[in-house]
Amino acid sequence: MNPTETILPGRTPATTHAAESVAEALLGRTLRPSSGTPRPALPPARRGGAVTAGGARQAGPPVWSVDGAGPVELDADDEQAVQAACGLMEVHGRATGAPEPLVADYVSTVTGVLAAQGATAALLAARRGHPRARVRTSLAQGALLAVTQYLAAATAEGPQDPAPGGTGLATLTTADGVLIEIETLDPLAWSGFWQRLGVRARTAGRGWLPFQQRFATAACPLPAELRAAVRAHGLRAVRQAGEAHGVSVAEAGEATAAPRDLAPWTVEPARPSDGLSRGAPPGRSGTAAGAGPLPLSGLRVVESARRVQGPMAGHVLRLLGADVVRVEPPGGDPMRGLPPLAGGCSVRFSALNHGKRVAEADLTTRRGRDTVRELVSRADVFLHNWAPGKARTLGLDAGDLHAVAPRLVYASASGFGAALGPTPPTGTDYLAQVHGGLAAALRPVDRPPAPSLMTVTDVLGGLVLAQAVLAGLLAREETRRGCRVASSLLSAAALVPRPPRRVRLTPLDRPLPTADGLLHLGAEARRQPGEVARAVLAAGPASVAGRLRTGGTEEWLAGLREAGLPAVRVRTDLAALATDPAFGRAVLPPDERVPYARPASPWTFEEDGR
């Protein structure tokens, strides 16, 4: 199947087909230089054994595979079932008050990137002297990784989220009926924008905290006065208010299409004028296998990043074995103080940054920038998600750092790259969903298009950035030179397969209420509505919905399973994942060292004895 072919959730012949298509597409790009010409020395990855080239049998890349449930002991073996069982429906539905499926194949895309990462990391390890490995991941592990921060917050003791409770999307409606998203990270810009629309400063101030904390809470209970103020103005007036105060305004339309011809990442070799020819030291080569069993053992990453996208990339590289050093401002990253806290540190922050070493440096000073150069001189990778132009202003762009580390993989992440011109909107998750077509594609046709307030592109963007780094490291193995790699939230959003038009869900595609909770049918059951009706209505005449409400979830799950119809309980309490025996091999419970639950590593690496 062409990886760009439309795939509807839960309706593919093989439940992992969408994930496999994404993995194959990314591996194909990873094993080719930016020009698209195949590298003869690196044959395309396969899910099978050795690769034949030119009539001779050669040792191929690692064998990789994608399962449905993987180590999770449930009938959660398709896109929507794992969304239900692993808590994504609950997080996505917080803003609207009830668990809701993400309509597009989001979990499959996350899992496809994970499969590509595992295969690429194992290939790198083999090139560096490690034994050849078989790599396995699953949709359930991809889903759990996607809710890493929400799981940490749910299982931390003490005060929870600082934002007021409640539901609500951040999407607003103008007087001419246009749905819009606004974005700013500046409280003064926020206040000025609303005052221009006739809102008092005190009222605007009440909306700032829920607006900023929607990244953490997945809901945005804005004061009614703010929504009313936008409804009193047309789109043009709202845009003018945004332009006057530096607030980005984007229209959330019905189009599901992703940006065309947008590569997930780019790779550019270091210029010959950088590095050795300028008298720089040789730098690290990363060719020898490091001490440790993981594929990136012995490699070092320097990370200067905030929020989710960049730290997620560093988190993944650390899980693969890299030594990651975070550069933080004096006193530490301000995100360390975001509740809930454990041991004096935000568990949301720690969930993506635990296990990384920290070096403090004030990048506005020469001494701080020299600290970064010193760290980079002993590193294999430098990654950041700074605002556009900041690297050049600081003198820490790719050319500057290749001068001290010629074999460095320099990785930069952004919101939109160059896709939206020289002055892009604020590069955050929700605007990337709008411009990437996901605001419409993730919701069914009977719901207004609106971004999910779960950080879907931040997580996926971090994973794509990590894969870009792995592609750069693989290129370095061949060229013995450093390179620059770049990705964006928009390029990550474009990876998600989605239909050409918004999807209409049937009642069986949504969570079904029982007497004590919700259940969700697996793909095979959703394809057989008649069989489901017969199994549920066997006790007597009634509607399916009415009959389900007469029994408990576990009772119905057992009955459906006996009828050969897979189904799962819809997870509405993420904290329970840490104590559910079915997740015992997939979720690590809180302990004295890490006082919150977190997903186990999403890959299994086994020595390949072929």
Side-chain angles (χ1 to χ4, degrees):
M1 177 181 286
N2 186 320
T4 62
E5 183 176 336
T6 296
I7 303 169
L8 296 182
R11 290 174 170 81
T12 55
T15 58
T16 59
H17 203 155
E20 292 165 352
S21 295
V22 169
E24 288 169 346
L26 295 185
L27 286 168
R29 182 171 184 83
T30 299
L31 299 177
R32 288 164 172 77
S34 56
S35 66
T37 305
R39 290 189 179 103
L42 298 176
R46 291 287 186 268
R47 280 169 283 167
V51 174
T52 300
R57 188 171 176 80
Q58 297 180 351
V63 177
W64 60 274
S65 63
V66 176
D67 299 329
V72 175
E73 297 172 3
L74 294 173
D75 289 334
D77 61 352
D78 72 277
E79 170 77 33
Q80 287 195 12
V82 295
Q83 286 188 28
C86 298
L88 272 79
M89 285 190 185
E90 189 276 325
V91 178
H92 173 60
R94 286 179 186 176
T96 51
E100 280 275 342
L102 295 98
V103 175
D105 280 324
Y106 175 70
V107 171
S108 296
T109 307
V110 166
T111 307
V113 181
L114 289 174
Q117 288 170 349
T120 307
L123 179 56
L124 272 166
R127 294 289 297 269
R128 299 171 59 229
H130 283 275
R132 188 169 53 189
R134 292 176 177 266
V135 184
R136 184 182 297 274
T137 189
S138 69
L139 296 179
Q141 289 165 292
L144 291 169
L145 186 71
V147 296
T148 293
Q149 289 185 294
Y150 304 101
L151 175 61
T155 53
E157 296 183 359
Q160 290 293 306
D161 296 308
T167 61
L169 290 163
T171 309
L172 304 167
T173 307
T174 66
D176 34 7
V178 179
L179 296 172
I180 62 167
E181 292 294 316
I182 65 173
E183 185 63 280
T184 179
L185 304 177
D186 181 353
L188 295 179
W190 170 267
S191 180
F193 170 82
W194 288 110
Q195 289 183 64
R196 187 179 179 97
L197 295 181
V199 178
R200 292 181 301 175
R202 181 183 296 273
T203 303
R206 286 195 292 112
W208 176 245
L209 186 59
F211 180 77
Q212 277 298 289
Q213 292 303 315
R214 72 200 194 282
F215 290 89
T217 63
C220 188
L222 290 174
E225 295 93 332
L226 302 190
R227 299 186 186 278
V230 172
R231 283 197 302 270
H233 293 80
L235 176 62
R236 181 178 179 182
V238 176
R239 286 193 184 278
Q240 288 173 342
E243 291 168 359
H245 295 280
V247 174
S248 297
V249 177
E251 182 177 346
E254 293 280 335
T256 63
R260 298 182 62 183
D261 303 322
L262 185 61
W265 65 80
T266 58
V267 180
E268 299 176 4
R271 295 173 299 179
S273 58
D274 296 327
L276 293 177
S277 63
R278 293 167 61 177
R284 291 168 59 91
S285 68
T287 55
L294 295 172
L296 298 190
S297 295
L299 297 182
R300 183 171 300 147
V301 176
V302 176
E303 168 196 313
S304 180
R306 292 186 61 187
R307 301 181 79 93
V308 177
Q309 180 189 22
M312 173 60 83
H315 176 62
V316 168
L317 296 172
R318 186 190 68 81
L319 289 176
L320 288 167
D323 172 30
V324 181
V325 182
R326 273 185 60 80
V327 177
E328 298 186 14
D333 191 313
M335 298 295 286
R336 289 179 175 272
L338 179 68
L341 305 179
C345 183
S346 166
V347 297
R348 295 185 188 280
F349 177 91
S350 183
L352 298 184
N353 294 293
H354 172 77
K356 301 175 183 177
R357 295 187 290 123
V358 177
E360 294 189 357
D362 182 353
L363 300 187
T364 66
T365 67
R366 180 174 179 176
R367 181 178 180 181
R369 296 190 292 272
D370 286 344
T371 297
V372 173
R373 293 187 185 95
E374 170 61 21
L375 290 170
V376 164
S377 71
R378 295 176 280 116
D380 301 280
V381 177
F382 176 69
L383 70 85
H384 70 78
N385 62 347
W386 296 334
K390 181 176 178 180
R392 181 172 298 177
T393 300
L394 293 174
L396 297 175
D397 207 347
D400 302 304
L401 295 188
H402 280 141
V404 297
R407 295 184 177 92
L408 182 75
V409 175
Y410 183 102
S412 59
S414 65
F416 302 101
L420 300 186
T423 55
T426 308
T428 58
D429 189 303
Y430 307 126
L431 292 194
Q433 288 189 51
V434 170
H435 289 282
L438 290 183
L442 290 176
R443 297 190 185 276
V445 71
D446 60 343
R447 302 283 196 268
S452 171
L453 293 189
M454 191 176 90
T455 51
V456 295
T457 62
D458 265 337
V459 169
L460 186 55
L463 296 176
V464 171
L465 176 61
Q467 180 62 20
V469 167
L470 294 170
L473 288 168
L474 197 58
R476 185 182 74 167
E477 285 295 312
E478 181 181 344
T479 65
R480 319 306 294 172
R481 290 170 53 193
C483 60
R484 175 173 189 160
V485 301
S487 69
S488 69
L489 296 177
L490 189 66
S491 69
L495 279 179
V496 181
R498 76 284 305 270
R501 297 181 184 83
R502 299 181 68 201
V503 171
R504 184 176 301 279
L505 298 181
T506 71
L508 296 186
D509 290 323
R510 289 193 164 98
L512 301 172
T514 66
D516 61 357
L518 296 167
L519 66 81
H520 196 276
L521 299 174
E524 195 61 35
R526 297 199 302 276
R527 283 194 288 266
Q528 302 181 65
E531 292 298 319
V532 172
R534 276 188 284 275
V536 173
L537 301 178
S543 69
V544 170
R547 181 63 64 195
L548 285 170
R549 288 190 177 94
T550 66
T553 304
E554 292 303 320
E555 176 185 351
W556 282 115
L557 290 176
L560 290 168
R561 192 176 301 115
E562 185 176 347
L565 299 169
V568 295
R569 175 185 287 274
V570 178
R571 179 69 58 182
T572 57
D573 178 11
L574 264 65
L577 287 171
T579 56
D580 188 336
F583 288 81
R585 292 186 296 145
V587 174
L588 303 176
D591 56 37
E592 293 182 0
R593 188 175 57 92
V594 183
Y596 52 83
R598 68 275 189 206
S601 175
W603 312 275
T604 300
F605 295 94
E606 298 176 349
E607 189 170 337
D608 183 5
R610 290 173 299 160

mmCIF file of all heavy atoms in Angstrom, residues 23-46 120 123 265-268 467-468 470-472 474-475 478-479 485:
data_model
loop_
_atom_site.group_PDB
_atom_site.id
_atom_site.type_symbol
_atom_site.label_atom_id
_atom_site.label_comp_id
_atom_site.label_asym_id
_atom_site.label_seq_id
_atom_site.Cartn_x
_atom_site.Cartn_y
_atom_site.Cartn_z
ATOM 1 N N ALA A 23 6.251 3.829 9.121
ATOM 2 C CA ALA A 23 7.624 3.379 9.390
ATOM 3 C C ALA A 23 8.397 3.161 8.096
ATOM 4 O O ALA A 23 9.553 3.581 7.967
ATOM 5 C CB ALA A 23 7.591 2.098 10.219
ATOM 6 N N GLU A 24 7.767 2.501 7.123
ATOM 7 C CA GLU A 24 8.448 2.233 5.858
ATOM 8 C C GLU A 24 8.805 3.526 5.133
ATOM 9 O O GLU A 24 9.895 3.666 4.563
ATOM 10 C CB GLU A 24 7.570 1.339 4.983
ATOM 11 C CG GLU A 24 7.498 -0.104 5.502
ATOM 12 C CD GLU A 24 6.438 -0.923 4.797
ATOM 13 O OE1 GLU A 24 5.585 -0.331 4.100
ATOM 14 O OE2 GLU A 24 6.449 -2.152 4.954
ATOM 15 N N ALA A 25 7.887 4.507 5.149
ATOM 16 C CA ALA A 25 8.165 5.783 4.492
ATOM 17 C C ALA A 25 9.331 6.499 5.161
ATOM 18 O O ALA A 25 10.222 7.034 4.478
ATOM 19 C CB ALA A 25 6.914 6.659 4.516
ATOM 20 N N LEU A 26 9.354 6.503 6.504
ATOM 21 C CA LEU A 26 10.434 7.201 7.202
ATOM 22 C C LEU A 26 11.767 6.479 7.047
ATOM 23 O O LEU A 26 12.818 7.124 6.902
ATOM 24 C CB LEU A 26 10.081 7.346 8.683
ATOM 25 C CG LEU A 26 8.876 8.235 8.997
ATOM 26 C CD1 LEU A 26 8.716 8.381 10.507
ATOM 27 C CD2 LEU A 26 9.010 9.598 8.358
ATOM 28 N N LEU A 27 11.746 5.159 7.075
ATOM 29 C CA LEU A 27 12.994 4.422 6.875
ATOM 30 C C LEU A 27 13.515 4.614 5.461
ATOM 31 O O LEU A 27 14.731 4.718 5.241
ATOM 32 C CB LEU A 27 12.783 2.940 7.177
ATOM 33 C CG LEU A 27 12.669 2.607 8.669
ATOM 34 C CD1 LEU A 27 12.179 1.185 8.867
ATOM 35 C CD2 LEU A 27 14.008 2.808 9.363
ATOM 36 N N GLY A 28 12.610 4.662 4.491
ATOM 37 C CA GLY A 28 13.050 4.931 3.130
ATOM 38 C C GLY A 28 13.758 6.270 3.022
ATOM 39 O O GLY A 28 14.777 6.396 2.345
ATOM 40 N N ARG A 29 13.220 7.287 3.716
ATOM 41 C CA ARG A 29 13.875 8.600 3.678
ATOM 42 C C ARG A 29 15.167 8.594 4.482
ATOM 43 O O ARG A 29 16.149 9.231 4.103
ATOM 44 C CB ARG A 29 12.924 9.666 4.232
ATOM 45 C CG ARG A 29 13.520 11.056 4.181
ATOM 46 C CD ARG A 29 12.526 12.135 4.505
ATOM 47 N NE ARG A 29 13.150 13.442 4.336
ATOM 48 C CZ ARG A 29 13.263 14.079 3.186
ATOM 49 N NH1 ARG A 29 12.774 13.529 2.087
ATOM 50 N NH2 ARG A 29 13.860 15.258 3.121
ATOM 51 N N THR A 30 15.185 7.882 5.601
ATOM 52 C CA THR A 30 16.374 7.827 6.444
ATOM 53 C C THR A 30 17.563 7.239 5.698
ATOM 54 O O THR A 30 18.706 7.676 5.882
ATOM 55 C CB THR A 30 16.085 6.981 7.704
ATOM 56 O OG1 THR A 30 15.036 7.600 8.442
ATOM 57 C CG2 THR A 30 17.316 6.856 8.583
ATOM 58 N N LEU A 31 17.314 6.267 4.844
ATOM 59 C CA LEU A 31 18.391 5.572 4.153
ATOM 60 C C LEU A 31 18.752 6.216 2.828
ATOM 61 O O LEU A 31 19.446 5.624 2.010
ATOM 62 C CB LEU A 31 17.990 4.108 3.920
ATOM 63 C CG LEU A 31 17.718 3.322 5.209
ATOM 64 C CD1 LEU A 31 17.270 1.918 4.892
ATOM 65 C CD2 LEU A 31 18.941 3.310 6.097
ATOM 66 N N ARG A 32 18.274 7.439 2.615
ATOM 67 C CA ARG A 32 18.618 8.182 1.413
ATOM 68 C C ARG A 32 19.098 9.573 1.793
ATOM 69 O O ARG A 32 18.584 10.166 2.737
ATOM 70 C CB ARG A 32 17.404 8.303 0.480
ATOM 71 C CG ARG A 32 17.056 6.996 -0.202
ATOM 72 C CD ARG A 32 15.653 7.052 -0.789
ATOM 73 N NE ARG A 32 15.374 5.880 -1.598
ATOM 74 C CZ ARG A 32 15.069 4.681 -1.108
ATOM 75 N NH1 ARG A 32 15.030 4.505 0.187
ATOM 76 N NH2 ARG A 32 14.829 3.674 -1.912
ATOM 77 N N PRO A 33 20.067 10.123 1.067
ATOM 78 C CA PRO A 33 20.479 11.504 1.333
ATOM 79 C C PRO A 33 19.391 12.466 0.897
ATOM 80 O O PRO A 33 18.403 12.080 0.291
ATOM 81 C CB PRO A 33 21.749 11.670 0.487
ATOM 82 C CG PRO A 33 21.580 10.677 -0.615
ATOM 83 C CD PRO A 33 20.828 9.515 -0.031
ATOM 84 N N SER A 34 19.562 13.746 1.182
ATOM 85 C CA SER A 34 18.534 14.734 0.892
ATOM 86 C C SER A 34 18.214 14.830 -0.588
ATOM 87 O O SER A 34 17.127 15.230 -0.980
ATOM 88 C CB SER A 34 18.974 16.114 1.410
ATOM 89 O OG SER A 34 20.223 16.469 0.859
ATOM 90 N N SER A 35 19.145 14.431 -1.452
ATOM 91 C CA SER A 35 18.889 14.487 -2.892
ATOM 92 C C SER A 35 17.931 13.409 -3.347
ATOM 93 O O SER A 35 17.388 13.472 -4.446
ATOM 94 C CB SER A 35 20.210 14.319 -3.656
ATOM 95 O OG SER A 35 20.725 13.011 -3.434
ATOM 96 N N GLY A 36 17.699 12.388 -2.484
ATOM 97 C CA GLY A 36 16.801 11.301 -2.849
ATOM 98 C C GLY A 36 17.497 10.150 -3.543
ATOM 99 O O GLY A 36 16.885 9.135 -3.837
ATOM 100 N N THR A 37 18.812 10.260 -3.816
ATOM 101 C CA THR A 37 19.540 9.163 -4.451
ATOM 102 C C THR A 37 19.837 8.075 -3.440
ATOM 103 O O THR A 37 20.362 8.361 -2.364
ATOM 104 C CB THR A 37 20.875 9.678 -5.027
ATOM 105 O OG1 THR A 37 20.589 10.761 -5.899
ATOM 106 C CG2 THR A 37 21.603 8.576 -5.770
ATOM 107 N N PRO A 38 19.500 6.802 -3.723
ATOM 108 C CA PRO A 38 19.737 5.742 -2.732
ATOM 109 C C PRO A 38 21.216 5.592 -2.391
ATOM 110 O O PRO A 38 22.091 5.775 -3.235
ATOM 111 C CB PRO A 38 19.207 4.489 -3.435
ATOM 112 C CG PRO A 38 18.280 4.994 -4.490
ATOM 113 C CD PRO A 38 18.833 6.319 -4.930
ATOM 114 N N ARG A 39 21.491 5.295 -1.147
ATOM 115 C CA ARG A 39 22.849 4.970 -0.737
ATOM 116 C C ARG A 39 23.075 3.480 -0.982
ATOM 117 O O ARG A 39 22.463 2.645 -0.325
ATOM 118 C CB ARG A 39 23.050 5.254 0.759
ATOM 119 C CG ARG A 39 23.054 6.722 1.150
ATOM 120 C CD ARG A 39 23.489 6.822 2.616
ATOM 121 N NE ARG A 39 23.537 8.192 3.058
ATOM 122 C CZ ARG A 39 22.615 8.755 3.819
ATOM 123 N NH1 ARG A 39 21.576 8.051 4.199
ATOM 124 N NH2 ARG A 39 22.730 10.003 4.198
ATOM 125 N N PRO A 40 23.949 3.095 -1.890
ATOM 126 C CA PRO A 40 24.144 1.672 -2.161
ATOM 127 C C PRO A 40 24.571 0.881 -0.934
ATOM 128 O O PRO A 40 24.237 -0.288 -0.789
ATOM 129 C CB PRO A 40 25.251 1.676 -3.234
ATOM 130 C CG PRO A 40 25.205 3.043 -3.836
ATOM 131 C CD PRO A 40 24.772 3.963 -2.748
ATOM 132 N N ALA A 41 25.291 1.512 -0.020
ATOM 133 C CA ALA A 41 25.808 0.773 1.132
ATOM 134 C C ALA A 41 24.729 0.482 2.177
ATOM 135 O O ALA A 41 24.932 -0.310 3.061
ATOM 136 C CB ALA A 41 26.942 1.568 1.784
ATOM 137 N N LEU A 42 23.576 1.150 2.071
ATOM 138 C CA LEU A 42 22.540 0.984 3.076
ATOM 139 C C LEU A 42 21.237 0.567 2.401
ATOM 140 O O LEU A 42 20.434 1.406 2.010
ATOM 141 C CB LEU A 42 22.324 2.301 3.834
ATOM 142 C CG LEU A 42 23.528 2.823 4.616
ATOM 143 C CD1 LEU A 42 23.205 4.168 5.227
ATOM 144 C CD2 LEU A 42 23.920 1.833 5.694
ATOM 145 N N PRO A 43 21.011 -0.725 2.206
ATOM 146 C CA PRO A 43 19.790 -1.175 1.536
ATOM 147 C C PRO A 43 18.558 -0.848 2.369
ATOM 148 O O PRO A 43 18.642 -0.718 3.583
ATOM 149 C CB PRO A 43 19.984 -2.694 1.428
ATOM 150 C CG PRO A 43 20.938 -3.029 2.522
ATOM 151 C CD PRO A 43 21.859 -1.847 2.642
ATOM 152 N N PRO A 44 17.397 -0.689 1.706
ATOM 153 C CA PRO A 44 16.176 -0.334 2.447
ATOM 154 C C PRO A 44 15.837 -1.361 3.512
ATOM 155 O O PRO A 44 16.082 -2.552 3.353
ATOM 156 C CB PRO A 44 15.107 -0.306 1.347
ATOM 157 C CG PRO A 44 15.866 -0.108 0.073
ATOM 158 C CD PRO A 44 17.181 -0.792 0.264
ATOM 159 N N ALA A 45 15.262 -0.876 4.621
ATOM 160 C CA ALA A 45 14.888 -1.760 5.717
ATOM 161 C C ALA A 45 13.761 -2.690 5.297
ATOM 162 O O ALA A 45 12.941 -2.366 4.458
ATOM 163 C CB ALA A 45 14.459 -0.936 6.924
ATOM 164 N N ARG A 46 13.726 -3.859 5.893
ATOM 165 C CA ARG A 46 12.666 -4.830 5.619
ATOM 166 C C ARG A 46 12.191 -5.413 6.935
ATOM 167 O O ARG A 46 12.912 -5.437 7.922
ATOM 168 C CB ARG A 46 13.191 -5.982 4.729
ATOM 169 C CG ARG A 46 13.516 -5.547 3.309
ATOM 170 C CD ARG A 46 12.228 -5.301 2.509
ATOM 171 N NE ARG A 46 12.541 -5.034 1.115
ATOM 172 C CZ ARG A 46 12.738 -3.822 0.629
ATOM 173 N NH1 ARG A 46 12.669 -2.775 1.417
ATOM 174 N NH2 ARG A 46 12.994 -3.654 -0.662
ATOM 175 N N THR A 120 16.370 2.270 12.994
ATOM 176 C CA THR A 120 17.534 3.103 12.669
ATOM 177 C C THR A 120 18.585 3.036 13.775
ATOM 178 O O THR A 120 19.793 2.929 13.504
ATOM 179 C CB THR A 120 17.103 4.558 12.459
ATOM 180 O OG1 THR A 120 16.039 4.616 11.504
ATOM 181 C CG2 THR A 120 18.266 5.398 11.944
ATOM 182 N N LEU A 123 20.406 -0.222 13.548
ATOM 183 C CA LEU A 123 21.340 -0.210 12.420
ATOM 184 C C LEU A 123 22.597 0.593 12.759
ATOM 185 O O LEU A 123 23.722 0.183 12.456
ATOM 186 C CB LEU A 123 20.643 0.368 11.191
ATOM 187 C CG LEU A 123 21.480 0.477 9.913
ATOM 188 C CD1 LEU A 123 22.059 -0.883 9.530
ATOM 189 C CD2 LEU A 123 20.633 1.041 8.771
ATOM 190 N N TRP A 265 11.671 15.936 7.567
ATOM 191 C CA TRP A 265 12.877 16.618 8.029
ATOM 192 C C TRP A 265 13.785 16.858 6.832
ATOM 193 O O TRP A 265 13.593 16.297 5.753
ATOM 194 C CB TRP A 265 13.623 15.799 9.086
ATOM 195 C CG TRP A 265 14.183 14.497 8.577
ATOM 196 C CD1 TRP A 265 15.334 14.293 7.863
ATOM 197 C CD2 TRP A 265 13.578 13.201 8.718
ATOM 198 N NE1 TRP A 265 15.493 12.967 7.562
ATOM 199 C CE2 TRP A 265 14.431 12.274 8.073
ATOM 200 C CE3 TRP A 265 12.425 12.735 9.328
ATOM 201 C CZ2 TRP A 265 14.145 10.907 8.032
ATOM 202 C CZ3 TRP A 265 12.152 11.375 9.291
ATOM 203 C CH2 TRP A 265 13.007 10.480 8.641
ATOM 204 N N THR A 266 14.771 17.705 7.021
ATOM 205 C CA THR A 266 15.792 17.937 6.004
ATOM 206 C C THR A 266 17.154 17.625 6.605
ATOM 207 O O THR A 266 17.370 17.753 7.812
ATOM 208 C CB THR A 266 15.779 19.392 5.502
ATOM 209 O OG1 THR A 266 15.984 20.278 6.620
ATOM 210 C CG2 THR A 266 14.454 19.722 4.836
ATOM 211 N N VAL A 267 18.080 17.205 5.741
ATOM 212 C CA VAL A 267 19.461 16.929 6.137
ATOM 213 C C VAL A 267 20.383 17.682 5.193
ATOM 214 O O VAL A 267 20.277 17.535 3.968
ATOM 215 C CB VAL A 267 19.791 15.423 6.083
ATOM 216 C CG1 VAL A 267 21.241 15.184 6.498
ATOM 217 C CG2 VAL A 267 18.848 14.628 6.967
ATOM 218 N N GLU A 268 21.264 18.498 5.734
ATOM 219 C CA GLU A 268 22.245 19.231 4.932
ATOM 220 C C GLU A 268 23.637 18.930 5.478
ATOM 221 O O GLU A 268 23.872 19.108 6.685
ATOM 222 C CB GLU A 268 21.995 20.734 4.987
ATOM 223 C CG GLU A 268 20.637 21.162 4.452
ATOM 224 C CD GLU A 268 20.412 22.654 4.628
ATOM 225 O OE1 GLU A 268 21.360 23.338 5.099
ATOM 226 O OE2 GLU A 268 19.310 23.122 4.322
ATOM 227 N N GLN A 467 13.955 11.225 15.120
ATOM 228 C CA GLN A 467 14.265 10.421 13.932
ATOM 229 C C GLN A 467 15.179 11.182 12.984
ATOM 230 O O GLN A 467 16.061 10.595 12.339
ATOM 231 C CB GLN A 467 12.981 10.005 13.215
ATOM 232 C CG GLN A 467 13.199 9.160 11.961
ATOM 233 C CD GLN A 467 13.888 7.834 12.243
ATOM 234 O OE1 GLN A 467 13.885 7.364 13.383
ATOM 235 N NE2 GLN A 467 14.468 7.223 11.220
ATOM 236 N N ALA A 468 15.000 12.493 12.880
ATOM 237 C CA ALA A 468 15.896 13.303 12.057
ATOM 238 C C ALA A 468 17.326 13.227 12.581
ATOM 239 O O ALA A 468 18.294 13.142 11.810
ATOM 240 C CB ALA A 468 15.409 14.754 12.029
ATOM 241 N N LEU A 470 18.616 10.705 14.261
ATOM 242 C CA LEU A 470 19.120 9.369 13.919
ATOM 243 C C LEU A 470 19.517 9.302 12.453
ATOM 244 O O LEU A 470 20.535 8.687 12.104
ATOM 245 C CB LEU A 470 18.060 8.315 14.237
ATOM 246 C CG LEU A 470 17.723 8.147 15.726
ATOM 247 C CD1 LEU A 470 16.506 7.256 15.900
ATOM 248 C CD2 LEU A 470 18.910 7.576 16.487
ATOM 249 N N ALA A 471 18.733 9.937 11.573
ATOM 250 C CA ALA A 471 19.099 9.977 10.155
ATOM 251 C C ALA A 471 20.415 10.721 9.961
ATOM 252 O O ALA A 471 21.266 10.323 9.154
ATOM 253 C CB ALA A 471 17.983 10.641 9.343
ATOM 254 N N GLY A 472 20.607 11.812 10.729
ATOM 255 C CA GLY A 472 21.863 12.555 10.639
ATOM 256 C C GLY A 472 23.047 11.744 11.141
ATOM 257 O O GLY A 472 24.136 11.778 10.558
ATOM 258 N N LEU A 474 23.284 8.512 11.071
ATOM 259 C CA LEU A 474 23.550 7.480 10.073
ATOM 260 C C LEU A 474 24.301 8.066 8.891
ATOM 261 O O LEU A 474 25.241 7.452 8.360
ATOM 262 C CB LEU A 474 22.227 6.858 9.615
ATOM 263 C CG LEU A 474 22.306 5.513 8.899
ATOM 264 C CD1 LEU A 474 22.989 4.463 9.756
ATOM 265 C CD2 LEU A 474 20.907 5.048 8.505
ATOM 266 N N ALA A 475 23.922 9.285 8.470
ATOM 267 C CA ALA A 475 24.650 9.955 7.382
ATOM 268 C C ALA A 475 26.093 10.215 7.789
ATOM 269 O O ALA A 475 27.024 10.076 6.975
ATOM 270 C CB ALA A 475 23.950 11.261 7.024
ATOM 271 N N GLU A 478 28.512 7.404 7.281
ATOM 272 C CA GLU A 478 28.982 7.198 5.907
ATOM 273 C C GLU A 478 29.940 8.288 5.444
ATOM 274 O O GLU A 478 30.968 8.012 4.831
ATOM 275 C CB GLU A 478 27.775 7.150 4.959
ATOM 276 C CG GLU A 478 28.160 6.905 3.506
ATOM 277 C CD GLU A 478 26.948 6.881 2.594
ATOM 278 O OE1 GLU A 478 25.833 6.749 3.117
ATOM 279 O OE2 GLU A 478 27.138 6.997 1.386
ATOM 280 N N THR A 479 29.607 9.566 5.754
ATOM 281 C CA THR A 479 30.386 10.673 5.203
ATOM 282 C C THR A 479 31.558 11.076 6.088
ATOM 283 O O THR A 479 32.462 11.761 5.614
ATOM 284 C CB THR A 479 29.488 11.904 5.021
ATOM 285 O OG1 THR A 479 29.042 12.351 6.316
ATOM 286 C CG2 THR A 479 28.276 11.576 4.152
ATOM 287 N N VAL A 485 20.263 18.983 10.598
ATOM 288 C CA VAL A 485 18.939 18.429 10.340
ATOM 289 C C VAL A 485 17.912 19.381 10.951
ATOM 290 O O VAL A 485 18.182 20.050 11.949
ATOM 291 C CB VAL A 485 18.776 17.007 10.920
ATOM 292 C CG1 VAL A 485 19.806 16.067 10.318
ATOM 293 C CG2 VAL A 485 18.861 16.999 12.435
#
